[in-house]
Amino acid sequence: MKKTILIAEDDKNIRLGIKEALLAENYEVCETGRGTEVASLVRDRKPQLILLDIMLPGMSGYDICREIRSTDVSTPIIMLTAKDQEIDKVLGLELGADDYVTKPFGTRELIARIHAVLRRSQPVANQSAYQIPEEIQIGETLIRTKALRGSRGNEQIEFTDREIKVIAVLFKNTGDAISRDQLLNEVWGIDYYGTTRTLDQVIVKIRQKIEPDPSQPIFLKTVHGVGYRMDLPKG
């Protein structure tokens, strides 16, 4: 299911830019330019994250944050402001905001922070209990995980540590669709601020090493709108 993000920002151009960037990242978006409308949108749309401008007409971002936190302590809030004084950052975070972005900001920075805050808000599923197997067989490719090396016939294949970890997470969940955020959580960690494009680039490299035809993958499949799935023949 797509996550919904609420944009509370009175500048139409900024709001549109953020909206387009979020839609491109496969989020649902609801939006408002007035502080007095935020509470009803939070109640009706139940967003998974709120982007909250401090200088909103009708009701300040500080007051909105305080009001939200009086009944909801878990929905992540990232505050947006043109101010860069340290006192504003402290005040915003003391009121319960999860992060703080100062204008002007790039959409890539904002998306990275959104990904990071959303990952930190989700429990990581028992990753420490999983021991990466010493060998993973994918088709004709045998991967020796500790050696960061694989073989297919007489061909020797080198893997990076991160590639091995991505393969291991998908392998242990063979047949299940694993979200990009879960993969980033388990491999990069919940404090990683990069975007899912970093993961996608690693997937491309892995496919070049394990797939007979990387342009037509049969083992490492893309699940559109979700992430990736490892498919292995049974028996």
Side-chain angles (χ1 to χ4, degrees), residues 49-55 61-62 65 69 76-106 109-114 116-117 120 193:
L49 183 141
I50 302 165
L51 296 175
L52 183 59
D53 184 29
I54 287 179
M55 303 301 290
Y62 292 133
C65 186
R69 285 293 179 249
I77 298 173
I78 298 178
M79 303 193 85
L80 312 175
T81 181
K83 296 182 178 180
D84 59 3
Q85 289 89 348
E86 187 67 24
I87 186 63
D88 288 324
K89 297 180 183 181
V90 171
L91 179 56
L93 296 174
E94 283 183 349
L95 288 172
D98 296 89
D99 204 351
Y100 190 105
V101 182
T102 302
K103 303 173 189 175
F105 51 80
E109 176 195 358
L110 181 61
I111 292 297
R113 288 180 177 272
I114 288 170
V117 169
R120 290 200 299 269
Y193 270 69

Side-chain angles (χ1 to χ4, degrees), residues 13 19 49 60 76 123 158 167 223:
N13 291 328
K19 179 179 180 180
L49 183 141
S60 78
E158 300 292 330
I167 290 169
V223 183

Side-chain angles (χ1 to χ4, degrees), residues 2-169:
K2 292 183 179 180
K3 292 183 173 68
T4 298
I5 294 180
L6 167 59
I7 308 170
E9 164 62 61
D10 66 328
D11 187 308
K12 292 182 179 179
N13 291 328
I14 293 176
R15 196 166 69 240
L16 177 60
I18 295 173
K19 179 179 180 180
E20 290 178 344
L22 291 175
L23 292 174
E25 290 286 323
N26 209 39
Y27 291 109
E28 296 281 357
V29 174
C30 55
E31 58 183 298
T32 181
R34 294 194 58 80
T36 51
E37 296 175 353
V38 174
S40 61
L41 282 171
V42 171
R43 182 182 63 249
D44 297 340
R45 296 296 300 276
K46 296 179 174 56
Q48 279 71 55
L49 183 141
I50 302 165
L51 296 175
L52 183 59
D53 184 29
I54 287 179
M55 303 301 290
L56 284 169
M59 190 175 184
S60 78
Y62 292 133
D63 290 335
I64 295 168
C65 186
R66 184 182 293 109
E67 182 179 276
I68 291 172
R69 285 293 179 249
S70 69
T71 57
D72 177 358
V73 297
S74 60
T75 301
I77 298 173
I78 298 178
M79 303 193 85
L80 312 175
T81 181
K83 296 182 178 180
D84 59 3
Q85 289 89 348
E86 187 67 24
I87 186 63
D88 288 324
K89 297 180 183 181
V90 171
L91 179 56
L93 296 174
E94 283 183 349
L95 288 172
D98 296 89
D99 204 351
Y100 190 105
V101 182
T102 302
K103 303 173 189 175
F105 51 80
T107 54
R108 288 178 65 86
E109 176 195 358
L110 181 61
I111 292 297
R113 288 180 177 272
I114 288 170
H115 287 326
V117 169
L118 283 172
R119 287 197 298 275
R120 290 200 299 269
S121 71
Q122 300 296 321
V124 180
N126 199 26
Q127 67 183 72
S128 61
Y130 177 65
Q131 297 296 319
I132 297 177
E134 292 188 8
E135 293 186 347
I136 295 176
Q137 184 81 42
I138 302 176
E140 297 181 0
T141 304
L142 176 63
I143 303 170
R144 295 181 296 280
T145 59
K146 289 186 177 180
L148 303 182
R149 193 170 292 173
S151 60
R152 184 169 50 245
N154 294 324
E155 180 185 3
Q156 298 298 308
I157 307 164
E158 300 292 330
F159 291 89
T160 67
D161 180 65
R162 191 149 282 164
E163 289 167 352
I164 291 292
K165 289 177 179 176
V166 170
I167 290 169
V169 172

Side-chain angles (χ1 to χ4, degrees), residues 130 132-133 135-138 141-145 148-150 157-174 178 183 187-188 199 202-203 205-211 219-220 228-232:
Y130 177 65
I132 297 177
E135 293 186 347
I136 295 176
Q137 184 81 42
I138 302 176
T141 304
L142 176 63
I143 303 170
R144 295 181 296 280
T145 59
L148 303 182
R149 193 170 292 173
I157 307 164
E158 300 292 330
F159 291 89
T160 67
D161 180 65
R162 191 149 282 164
E163 289 167 352
I164 291 292
K165 289 177 179 176
V166 170
I167 290 169
V169 172
L170 291 167
F171 181 78
K172 76 172 178 179
N173 295 285
T174 296
I178 305 301
L183 280 165
V187 177
W188 278 262
L199 168 62
V202 172
I203 293 292
K205 295 292 187 182
I206 293 173
R207 283 175 171 158
Q208 291 170 351
K209 297 176 181 182
I210 68 170
E211 296 284 356
F219 301 123
L220 210 172
Y228 298 99
R229 184 183 68 241
M230 181 75 75
D231 283 345
L232 297 177

